[in-house]
Amino acid sequence: MGATGTTGTALLHSLRALEVPVRALTRTPHRPLPGAAGPHDRHVEVRYADAGDPDSLRTAFSGADQLFLAMANSPAQVELETRVIDIAAHSGIGHIVKLSAPAAEPGSPVAISRGHHAVEEHLHASGLTGTVLRPYAFMQNLLRLAPTVAQGFVLGAMRDAPCNYIDCRDIGDVAAAVLTRRHLAGGTYTLTGPEAVSHPGLAARLTELTGRRIQYIDLAPDELRDNLIHQAGLPGWLADHVVEIQQLAIARPEFPTSTVTDILGRPPRTLDAFLNEHRTHFRAPNPADTQVSCQPTP
Ligand SMILES: NC(=O)c1ccc[n+]([C@@H]2O[C@H](COP(=O)([O-])OP(=O)(O)OC[C@H]3O[C@@H](n4cnc5c(N)ncnc54)[C@H](OP(=O)(O)O)[C@@H]3O)[C@@H](O)[C@H]2O)c1
């Protein structure tokens, strides 16, 4: 599930390379999958599935034996994911790999992580083999900073707290490994990149990358929330989430784990490599960008 999403796209790429048969589930099966063109697409069957439509799940799960469960964040996420697990358990699926998040625990200060905890518990109580992936922030999220980077700044509310960015392609490789190497099934894996980088450190790297001075502007949590809602147009629950994970990074400084290396036998992709690969994305401002970009709170 989530085959059209950031992680699902990466996982499909990894599974294509392994040439294992896979069913890619989406609510829009008529649209081409991101990155679908390739020599191994004969192994990928695209099917309709909507977590809000139980019949579609039963049909989509029929004959499958494992499920990768990634779901967009939303206020309905826990309800949708628990329904998916229940229907999977009645459809003959024996192993679910759930995409979760750090600090998935009952008292987590991050509401979405509390939701992930509830889903993890539901999975473990389901009788299925449950594997949990808890990646830190995706490097791919950084692409959304382009409009403010083009204007010379990065906004945040995490002071100089280090952040464990991970490239989603490493999450895809790990997910493919746990789906194809039986001894890895059933674990809970915290996934990070090779280094933790602060927002001031990120701004310094963007400065070097672009050849323009990129400044990190540290806001108070409420200021960041207001900015995300009124300038970036995020819904309140998502602005709250961004602020909560940044406050969590301050309260619990992030440190890299060796999990990706242990599972894949190679180190995770680096932030510098990711930024270099996407150098043109962080281009100089043009008039079209400035109409939709975020503004720092005065
Ligand atoms: N971003 C981060 O830094 C980060 C870090 C740690 C954990 N996470 C977790 O990662 C998860 C999101 O993963 P992602 O970023 O790879 O996903 P994403 O890019 O946001 O894609 C979301 C996927 O969810 C599917 N989806 C949404 N509603 C659905 C429904 N009702 N039924 C079936 N499918 C539905 C979409 O499929 P269609 O639209 O094609 O149907 C889409 O493929 C979240 O749970 C988040 O908490 C994210």
Side-chain angles (χ1 to χ4, degrees):
M1 297 195 74
T4 58
T6 314
T7 315
T9 298
L11 171 59
L12 274 184
H13 182 82
S14 308
L15 291 174
R16 278 187 192 105
L18 294 173
E19 302 196 16
V20 295
V22 54
R23 199 174 279 170
L25 306 185
T26 169
R27 290 167 298 173
T28 55
H30 49 283
R31 286 198 204 141
L33 289 175
H40 303 305
D41 270 4
R42 65 183 184 280
H43 298 289
V44 179
E45 174 193 9
V46 182
R47 288 270 193 98
Y48 167 76
D50 183 340
D53 173 357
D55 284 343
S56 75
L57 296 177
R58 285 184 200 100
T59 306
F61 294 164
S62 173
D65 50 14
Q66 303 189 84
L67 173 69
F68 176 71
L69 174 53
M71 181 73 66
N73 289 141
S74 81
Q77 185 172 4
V78 174
E79 183 190 338
L80 293 176
E81 289 199 28
T82 52
R83 177 183 302 152
V84 167
I85 291 167
D86 291 343
I87 292 175
H90 284 99
S91 302
I93 283 176
H95 177 209
I96 292 182
V97 179
K98 172 179 160 46
L99 184 61
S100 182
E105 56 205 33
S108 177
V110 178
I112 283 175
S113 291
R114 292 196 296 276
H116 278 304
H117 170 76
V119 177
E120 287 184 17
E121 292 285 287
H122 195 81
L123 175 58
H124 292 315
S126 69
L128 302 175
T129 302
T131 303
V132 173
L133 305 183
R134 293 181 179 164
Y136 275 84
F138 302 168
M139 289 182 192
Q140 280 74 6
N141 296 350
L142 298 173
L143 299 176
R144 296 186 203 130
L145 299 179
T148 64
V149 170
Q151 295 173 75
F153 58 88
V154 169
L155 296 179
M158 57 193 299
R159 303 180 209 155
D160 59 358
C163 191
N164 269 336
Y165 297 106
I166 178 166
D167 191 315
C168 274
R169 291 169 291 188
D170 287 330
I171 305 173
D173 286 344
V174 168
V178 300
L179 287 164
T180 54
R181 287 156 54 188
R182 192 170 294 271
H183 72 281
L184 295 171
T188 294
Y189 302 107
T190 297
L191 306 177
T192 75
E195 60 176 340
V197 178
S198 68
H199 268 36
L202 174 65
R205 288 176 198 221
L206 288 165
T207 297
E208 199 179 324
L209 185 80
T210 60
R212 293 178 289 113
R213 181 168 177 261
I214 312 296
Q215 190 190 357
Y216 172 56
I217 301 174
D218 194 57
L219 304 175
D222 284 350
E223 284 180 309
L224 178 63
R225 185 178 186 280
D226 283 353
N227 194 287
L228 291 170
I229 292 172
H230 300 298
Q231 302 294 339
L234 266 55
W237 65 265
L238 188 51
D240 285 341
H241 178 58
V242 173
V243 171
E244 285 169 6
I245 53 177
Q246 296 205 7
Q247 298 312 290
L248 180 71
I250 295 173
R252 297 188 204 174
E254 299 176 4
F255 299 103
T257 66
S258 63
T259 317
V260 169
T261 306
D262 296 343
I263 292 176
L264 299 180
R266 59 149 180 89
R269 293 164 170 90
T270 65
L271 180 62
D272 284 338
F274 178 85
L275 292 177
N276 246 314
E277 189 181 341
H278 295 90
R279 172 187 292 270
T280 56
H281 191 81
F282 298 104
R283 66 192 188 285
N286 70 44
D289 284 336
T290 53
Q291 289 167 18
V292 294
S293 62
C294 308
Q295 296 294 334
T297 306

